[in-house]
């Protein structure tokens, strides 16, 4: 009986939270999944980086990983844009919090399991396509605003320029960005706490903090992941692609949210 009572309380709390979640909030729910994924990525990459120091991989391996990563990333970005466009054209509703989290976590788990096989590549397309579908309703909501088209295009341009600039810096400098690991690890817990608080406290300043925090976090992750590829710490282009795609996706949503908040003012 006590278990059923506790379960009822949890379900009631979940329903209250779900009713207060908007399309914008749902995009940041994906951010929770992103943070968990990135936390695991940091650990796995650090282990591979330690092995890389011991085995001293040649530059050809790093260059091959980089080419494969950027090639797959470019194709998956286009595919995600296509599925987002289809979602917008068909005016599909958002799949909801449960389906979003189950789909995202499930695909991430499968990609991690099959990262060394051809199936892993297909699963990357499934994940990026799914993320494109989930972002479609939010984009429609922004486009319905008086200057919505300008907001979306500006966010897209800023995201592209940021990614190109950060990637170029990491590629040219070949700097070791492992010092960012501490920032990223602390950032995970700070953003998680802020997001949970944001579900119950609707304060504009908190929303700005969350969006800005995710933007900085995503930028740092792009630097970290690209640096690991260049220096030989990351040799699996499937996982590298997923990390960079998720970082770009989250950076775009964060910038769009910031521009939207500025527009409200």
């Amino acid at each position: 009986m006590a278990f059923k009572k506790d379960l009822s309380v949890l379900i009631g709390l979940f329903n209250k939270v779900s009713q207060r979640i908007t399309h914008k909030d749902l995009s940041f729910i994906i951010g929770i999944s992103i943070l968990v994924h990135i936390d695991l990525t940091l650990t796995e990459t650090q282990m591979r980086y330690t092995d890389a120091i011991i085995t001293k991989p040649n530059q050809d391996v790093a260059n091959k990983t980089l080419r494969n990563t950027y090639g797959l990333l470019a194709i998956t970005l286009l595919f995600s844009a296509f599925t987002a466009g289809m979602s917008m054209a068909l005016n599909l509703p958002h799949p909801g919090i449960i389906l979003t989290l189950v789909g995202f976590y499930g695909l991430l788990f499968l990609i991690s399991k099959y990262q060394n096989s051809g199936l892993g590549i297909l699963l990357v397309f499934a994940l990026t396509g799914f993320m494109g579908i989930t972002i479609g309703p939010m984009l429609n909501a922004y486009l319905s605003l008086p200057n919505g088209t300008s907001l979306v295009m500006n966010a897209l341009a800023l995201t592209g320029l940021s990614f190109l600039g950060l990637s170029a810096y990491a590629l040219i400098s070949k700097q070791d960005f492992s010092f960012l690991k501490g920032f990223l690890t602390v950032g995970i817990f700070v953003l998680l706490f802020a997001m949970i608080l944001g579900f119950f406290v609707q304060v504009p300043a908190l929303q700005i903090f969350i969006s800005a925090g995710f933007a900085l976090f995503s930028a740092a992750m792009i630097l970290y992941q690209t640096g690991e590829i260049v220096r030989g710490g990351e040799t699996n282009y499937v996982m590298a692609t997923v990390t960079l795609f998720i970082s770009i996706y989250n950076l775009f949503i964060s910038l769009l949210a910031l521009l939207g908040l500025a527009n409200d003012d």
Side-chain angles (χ1 to χ4, degrees):
M1 294 295 292
F3 172 75
K4 291 183 178 179
K5 183 178 180 181
D6 293 338
L7 182 60
S8 298
V9 172
L10 288 174
I11 292 174
L13 178 60
F14 177 79
N15 289 334
K16 289 181 180 179
V17 173
S18 298
Q19 291 172 1
R20 300 188 64 177
I21 293 176
T22 63
H23 289 322
K24 188 187 298 182
D25 295 326
L26 278 166
S27 67
F28 283 112
I29 289 172
I30 296 179
I32 295 178
S33 304
I34 291 170
L35 293 176
V36 174
H37 163 72
I38 287 176
D39 187 33
L40 294 174
T41 299
L42 288 173
T43 303
E44 292 175 358
T45 302
Q46 185 63 33
M47 292 172 62
R48 286 195 291 268
Y49 185 64
T50 302
D51 294 338
I53 294 175
I54 297 174
T55 58
K56 296 182 179 179
N58 56 49
Q59 190 62 38
D60 291 339
V61 174
N63 290 338
K64 182 180 179 181
T65 303
L66 187 65
R67 288 194 301 269
N68 290 339
T69 299
Y70 278 20
L72 183 58
L73 179 63
I75 298 173
T76 52
L77 284 170
L78 290 174
F79 181 66
S80 183
F82 171 76
T83 58
M86 291 296 295
S87 176
M88 295 167 64
L90 297 174
N91 200 27
L92 297 178
H94 198 282
I97 179 174
I98 296 179
L99 184 58
T100 298
L101 291 179
V102 170
F104 189 85
Y105 274 120
L107 288 169
L108 273 181
F109 171 78
L110 291 174
I111 290 172
S112 180
K113 182 177 181 179
Y114 295 103
Q115 60 183 279
N116 295 314
S117 67
L119 180 58
I121 297 177
L122 294 178
L123 289 169
V124 171
F125 278 95
L127 174 66
T128 55
F130 177 73
M131 293 177 72
I133 292 174
T134 60
I135 202 176
M138 187 186 68
L139 292 178
N140 274 338
Y142 274 100
L143 290 174
S144 65
L145 299 175
N147 60 338
T149 301
S150 176
L151 288 175
V152 173
M153 295 306 296
N154 286 339
L156 187 62
L158 286 173
T159 301
L161 290 174
S162 298
F163 175 72
L164 291 176
L166 292 168
S167 298
Y169 178 70
L171 291 171
I172 295 172
S173 68
K174 291 182 169 50
Q175 184 176 339
D176 182 5
F177 294 102
S178 60
F179 65 89
L180 289 174
K181 186 177 179 181
F183 166 77
L184 293 169
T185 302
V186 173
I188 288 174
F189 295 103
V190 172
L191 290 174
L192 277 174
F193 176 77
M195 288 174 62
I196 294 172
L197 182 63
F199 290 148
F200 299 97
V201 181
Q202 301 297 320
V203 179
L206 180 59
Q207 298 303 318
I208 293 175
F209 172 80
I210 294 173
S211 297
F214 265 104
L216 290 174
F217 188 93
S218 299
M221 193 61 209
I222 291 172
L223 275 177
Y224 180 87
Q225 182 65 83
T226 305
E228 290 301 293
I229 297 173
V230 173
R231 294 172 60 83
E234 176 62 85
T235 58
N236 189 294
Y237 71 93
V238 170
M239 298 307 297
T241 298
V242 171
T243 301
L244 288 177
F245 179 93
I246 289 175
S247 298
I248 294 171
Y249 176 93
N250 215 37
L251 180 60
F252 171 69
I253 290 177
S254 302
L255 291 174
L256 185 57
L258 286 172
L259 291 175
L261 289 169
N263 180 68
D264 291 339
D265 295 337

